[in-house]
Amino acid sequence: MINADHSASPTATRRDGFVMPTVLFAVAIMSIVAVAALSSASDERRTSRAVRESTVAEYVAEAGLRQTYGNWPVDPVKAMNPGDSLDLGWQSLPNSEKYRAVIYRVDNGGLQEYNVVVQGRRTGVNGGISTVIGVVGGVPLFSRAVYGESYVWIQNAQLDSWDSANGAYNPLLPGTNADVFSNADMTLQKTNIKGAAGAVGTITQNNSPTATGGISPNQAKLTPYDPLPCPTGGYSPVTPELAAVGYTGNGVLSLASGQTLNLIAGKQYFFRSIVMTGTSKLALPGGGPVNVAVQDSIYMAGGSLANTSHKATDLSFASCGTPTDGTKTNYWGLTGGADAYFSVYAPDKVVYALGNSAFYGAVISNIFYITGSAQFHYDEALARAASPKLQVQKATWGQFPGS
């Protein structure tokens, strides 16, 4: 009988203790997998939170940009020179988040251009920071030679253009950018315009007027120009140059024949009305800029303007506020001449170019008349002049990488 017990066989494979290492190895692998899974979950959680914080910070920055646009610091910005910056500091939003806006003036001293850089910051422990930028720019006022809100009448006059930034006006090289526009109707009579003539309504043509850019009625209506607010603090006080011509501070500037008022560069003047008679003169001997704000009327029959810098950007006349006597037409009669370089912003006034002399500059009016054999030379540099009106530039929003 054969014994079937093989336990004592020397060739039998021993497996004592094999289970324990296998279990430990499996536990180690599972631990590594678990740690990796936990680490990955933690990374995803941190990434998700970072994205959320960054997104919220971006929203905060964008809200701060819009808040800055809506509460534009008019006076501090107006006082900025090219290259200046204005830090508005950290401001709080209703949800307790914070933003900081810094305004940079980046133009060269003409038409204003401002970069608005805003940082948005979350106030929590894990708060992020995002930065956005927007651009605010000046709206060119004098983008054409003549504008009339209700009517434009040009008779016998010759209109052309030049750019005072490139030197003096040269009658042998007239420019062709002297555009004329009426937001209603227009009459052209025996006139030559080196530019385009356009009107929303009809254009009556007598004695074969010409315009190098075409004569075009039935144009799209433009947004009307708004009268400007009057300077704060009341009419100009009595200063030495005003006292010299008998001004008393009541807002009425009246220059008698032979009198000359020498305007002071860099000053803002504000009068209720201006009357000039005989050989009186309103002069700008030292260059500008000088702005003359007028609430009611200007009448320069017999008087003259003398801006010896020959730059229309140096001298401006602007209507402001509400007229003191609504029953008057608040007529502005302006005289030209060899030194009559100036701009007129009077969207609520009747502006009449008096006499047959030359005018150098641009006019914005309610109704504009020029007759006789006057010549009107549009200074193209006025389109780049500083403007009292600002607007957010379209398609200028941008985001910097956040942190």
Side-chain angles (χ1 to χ4, degrees):
M1 184 175 183
I2 299 174
N3 188 354
D5 184 6
H6 301 288
S7 61
S9 172
T11 60
T13 301
R14 298 183 61 85
R15 298 180 180 272
D16 297 350
F18 174 78
V19 174
M20 182 63 69
T22 301
V23 171
L24 291 176
F25 180 75
V27 169
I29 294 299
M30 292 177 64
S31 297
I32 292 173
V33 172
V35 169
L38 291 174
S39 178
S40 177
S42 178
D43 288 344
E44 289 181 2
R45 185 169 61 253
R46 286 195 297 269
T47 300
S48 176
R49 185 175 183 83
V51 170
R52 177 178 180 276
E53 295 294 329
S54 177
T55 301
V56 174
E58 179 186 336
Y59 290 156
V60 172
E62 186 173 354
L65 181 63
R66 296 179 181 275
Q67 191 90 341
T68 303
Y69 289 156
N71 296 278
W72 190 255
V74 176
D75 291 334
V77 169
K78 189 179 296 184
M80 293 174 66
N81 295 313
D84 287 352
S85 62
L86 177 64
D87 190 341
L88 301 179
W90 287 99
Q91 308 288 329
S92 296
L93 292 173
N95 60 357
S96 299
E97 310 301 350
K98 292 182 178 294
Y99 71 91
R100 176 192 178 198
V102 182
I103 301 172
Y104 300 87
R105 183 167 179 180
V106 296
D107 59 87
N108 61 359
L111 191 63
Q112 307 96 307
E113 196 81 7
Y114 303 97
N115 285 347
V116 185
V117 181
V118 181
Q119 287 181 309
R121 185 178 68 184
R122 290 275 285 163
T123 56
V125 176
N126 298 308
I129 293 180
S130 184
T131 303
V132 299
I133 183 172
V135 178
V136 173
V139 180
L141 293 182
F142 300 101
S143 57
R144 56 181 63 85
V146 173
Y147 173 89
E149 177 61 32
S150 299
Y151 202 82
V152 170
W153 179 294
I154 300 176
Q155 180 178 339
N156 299 329
Q158 311 295 311
L159 284 78
D160 60 21
S161 68
W162 101 108
D163 192 329
S164 61
N166 298 329
Y169 170 75
N170 185 348
L172 300 178
L173 297 171
T176 58
N177 292 315
D179 296 344
V180 178
F181 191 86
S182 170
N183 230 15
D185 298 325
M186 180 185 297
T187 293
L188 301 176
Q189 181 169 317
K190 197 180 179 180
T191 186
N192 296 310
I193 300 173
K194 293 190 180 299
V200 173
T202 61
I203 299 180
T204 302
Q205 303 179 49
N206 297 320
N207 297 323
S208 303
T210 63
T212 59
I215 299 175
S216 306
N218 305 317
Q219 297 296 297
K221 193 175 183 65
L222 302 181
T223 302
Y225 292 91
D226 297 321
L228 301 176
C230 289
T232 58
Y235 300 125
S236 290
V238 179
T239 51
E241 76 278 12
L242 293 173
V245 295
Y247 175 71
T248 63
N250 64 349
V252 178
L253 177 65
S254 181
L255 299 181
S257 182
Q259 287 187 317
T260 296
L261 171 58
N262 290 312
L263 301 172
I264 306 301
K267 289 190 68 172
Q268 164 77 68
Y269 294 90
F270 174 32
F271 303 110
R272 179 160 62 91
S273 61
I274 297 175
V275 179
M276 299 171 62
T277 58
T279 58
S280 61
K281 183 181 295 184
L282 195 61
L284 182 61
V290 168
N291 176 257
V292 181
V294 180
Q295 193 170 8
D296 289 347
S297 58
I298 298 177
Y299 189 64
M300 295 183 178
S304 62
L305 286 168
N307 174 9
T308 55
S309 74
H310 287 189
K311 294 182 177 180
T313 53
D314 279 353
L315 178 60
S316 61
F317 293 86
S319 66
C320 71
T322 303
T324 60
D325 187 350
T327 64
K328 295 182 178 179
T329 58
N330 296 303
Y331 170 97
W332 283 27
L334 305 175
T335 303
D339 296 320
Y341 291 73
F342 59 93
S343 65
V344 173
Y345 182 85
D348 57 342
K349 300 293 191 293
V350 177
V351 178
Y352 202 120
L354 300 170
N356 300 322
S357 301
F359 295 82
Y360 302 82
V363 171
I364 292 173
S365 63
N366 181 32
I367 298 175
F368 178 75
Y369 290 97
I370 186 170
T371 60
S373 57
Q375 295 183 343
F376 194 108
H377 310 295
Y378 167 54
D379 187 353
E380 297 171 17
L382 286 168
R384 304 187 301 274
S387 171
K389 300 183 70 173
L390 302 176
Q391 70 177 9
V392 176
Q393 303 286 5
K394 295 181 179 179
T396 57
W397 184 92
Q399 181 184 5
F400 291 137
S403 61

